[in-house]
């Protein structure tokens, strides 16, 4: 519980993670991809604009929206004081990132790793051992709109984003929205109680949709890595 902070949404969680890391943790290099959600990519570009001593490195992406872990490893070995922000599943292409491999690379090179997991919390199990920060939003897994989570590994110290009464262990002052938090908790519990059957159901819908379109429109091409 001490590693969870309640926010208003995934966008706010991403902003807190990235902006406060730049302010408080001595980050000099951010590594991300050019196909991140705007709440990550626009935030990173704004951070660099406001801080000329911070650099943003974007991994090269191929025609299917995939990037090479070799390039990430090269950048991690080349630079110090690094934070990596790569989303778990792309919200437009559906491409799935290997969080365990990315997290292991970051850990072995003393870099912080943040992931925007807004699309996947509630639908995947997560190993957080090599993830320093993770963003999620309740409405993506059946909870109410207007409530989100920032997971932040114990030992990470950030200054207050909003000052006031000291709620959320001093990071985000203001009265918590308890009914929405309860709704989010219930929705998440239901998701993970039925994770296996729900995952199988979603995969079957995806296969049916793709097969049906290919039958009626054989010339169609799908964006992204459709087999991932």
């Amino acid at each position: 519980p001490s590693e969870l902070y309640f926010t208003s949404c995934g966008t706010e969680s991403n902003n807190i993670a990235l902006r406060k890391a730049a302010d408080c943790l001595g980050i000099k290099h951010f590594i991300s991809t050019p196909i991140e959600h705007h709440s990550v990519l626009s935030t990173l570009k704004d951070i660099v604009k406001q801080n000329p001593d911070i650099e943003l490195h974007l991994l090269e992406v191929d025609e299917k929206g995939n990037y090479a872990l070799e390039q990430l490893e090269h950048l991690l070995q080349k630079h110090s004081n690094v934070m990596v922000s790569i989303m778990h599943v792309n919200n437009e292409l559906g491409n799935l990132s290997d969080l365990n491999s990315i997290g292991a690379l970051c850990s072995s090179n003393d870099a912080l790793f943040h992931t925007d997991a807004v699309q996947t919390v509630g639908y995947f199990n997560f190993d957080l051992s090599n993830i320093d920060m993770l963003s999620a939003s309740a409405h993506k897994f059946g909870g109410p709109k207007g409530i989100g989570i920032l997971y932040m590994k114990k030992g990470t110290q950030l200054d207050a984003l909003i000052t006031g009464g000291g709620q959320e262990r001093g990071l985000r002052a203001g009265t918590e929205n308890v009914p929405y938090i309860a709704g989010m908790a219930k929705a998440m519990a239901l998701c993970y109680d039925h994770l296996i059957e729900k995952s199988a159901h979603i995969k079957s819908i995806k296969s049916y949709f793709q097969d049906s379109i290919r039958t009626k429109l054989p010339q169609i091409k799908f964006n992204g890595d459709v087999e991932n």
Side-chain angles (χ1 to χ4, degrees), residues 5-24:
Y5 296 82
F6 297 116
T7 66
S8 63
C9 58
T11 292
E12 185 187 343
S13 296
N14 287 336
N15 269 259
I16 293 174
L18 300 174
R19 292 185 187 277
K20 299 312 294 183
D23 291 343
C24 307

Side-chain angles (χ1 to χ4, degrees), residues 76-100:
L76 287 170
Q77 292 174 348
K78 182 178 180 181
H79 301 290
S80 57
N81 300 321
V82 177
M83 183 172 190
V84 174
S85 182
I86 295 178
M87 67 198 321
H88 189 197
V89 165
N90 186 273
N91 56 301
E92 295 182 0
L93 300 175
N95 289 18
L96 181 68
S97 295
D98 185 348
L99 297 187
N100 292 331

Side-chain angles (χ1 to χ4, degrees), residues 6-208:
F6 297 116
T7 66
S8 63
C9 58
T11 292
E12 185 187 343
S13 296
N14 287 336
N15 269 259
I16 293 174
L18 300 174
R19 292 185 187 277
K20 299 312 294 183
D23 291 343
C24 307
L25 301 179
I27 300 299
K28 296 300 180 185
H29 298 271
F30 282 99
I31 301 174
S32 191
T33 78
I35 56 172
E36 297 296 306
H37 189 272
H38 287 300
S39 63
V40 167
L41 201 55
S42 297
T43 300
L44 289 173
K45 290 178 179 179
D46 191 49
I47 289 171
V48 172
K49 183 179 179 181
Q50 295 178 6
N51 301 272
D53 58 332
I54 296 177
E55 289 188 65
L56 172 59
H57 310 270
L58 298 178
L59 301 178
E60 296 174 3
V61 175
D62 66 18
E63 68 277 4
K64 290 186 177 182
N66 295 317
Y67 51 87
L69 289 178
E70 291 79 9
Q71 186 187 8
L72 173 61
E73 185 175 18
H74 171 73
L75 288 169
L76 287 170
Q77 292 174 348
K78 182 178 180 181
H79 301 290
S80 57
N81 300 321
V82 177
M83 183 172 190
V84 174
S85 182
I86 295 178
M87 67 198 321
H88 189 197
V89 165
N90 186 273
N91 56 301
E92 295 182 0
L93 300 175
N95 289 18
L96 181 68
S97 295
D98 185 348
L99 297 187
N100 292 331
S101 295
I102 297 171
L105 280 176
C106 290
S107 180
S108 62
N109 288 278
D110 296 320
L112 289 174
F113 178 35
H114 162 259
T115 185
D116 174 353
V118 167
Q119 300 294 333
T120 51
V121 166
Y123 303 95
F124 288 81
N125 287 312
F126 289 84
D127 177 2
L128 298 174
S129 56
N130 286 320
I131 296 175
D132 298 287
M133 299 183 193
L134 179 148
S135 303
S137 191
H139 74 279
K140 292 293 185 177
F141 51 85
K145 290 183 178 181
I147 186 71
I149 297 173
L150 173 62
Y151 160 79
M152 191 157 57
K153 184 173 288 185
K154 193 175 296 183
T156 307
Q157 297 294 324
L158 301 181
D159 294 341
L161 173 76
I162 301 173
T163 55
Q167 287 91 345
E168 297 308 299
R169 293 174 295 287
L171 180 65
R172 186 183 187 272
T175 303
E176 289 96 343
N177 190 340
V178 176
Y180 277 33
I181 292 170
M184 176 170 59
K186 182 63 175 178
M188 187 177 289
L190 289 172
C191 281
Y192 283 102
D193 284 346
H194 304 282
L195 185 64
I196 296 176
E197 56 264 43
K198 192 171 185 178
S199 177
H201 178 62
I202 291 173
K203 287 179 181 178
S204 69
I205 292 174
K206 176 184 176 181
S207 296
Y208 172 76

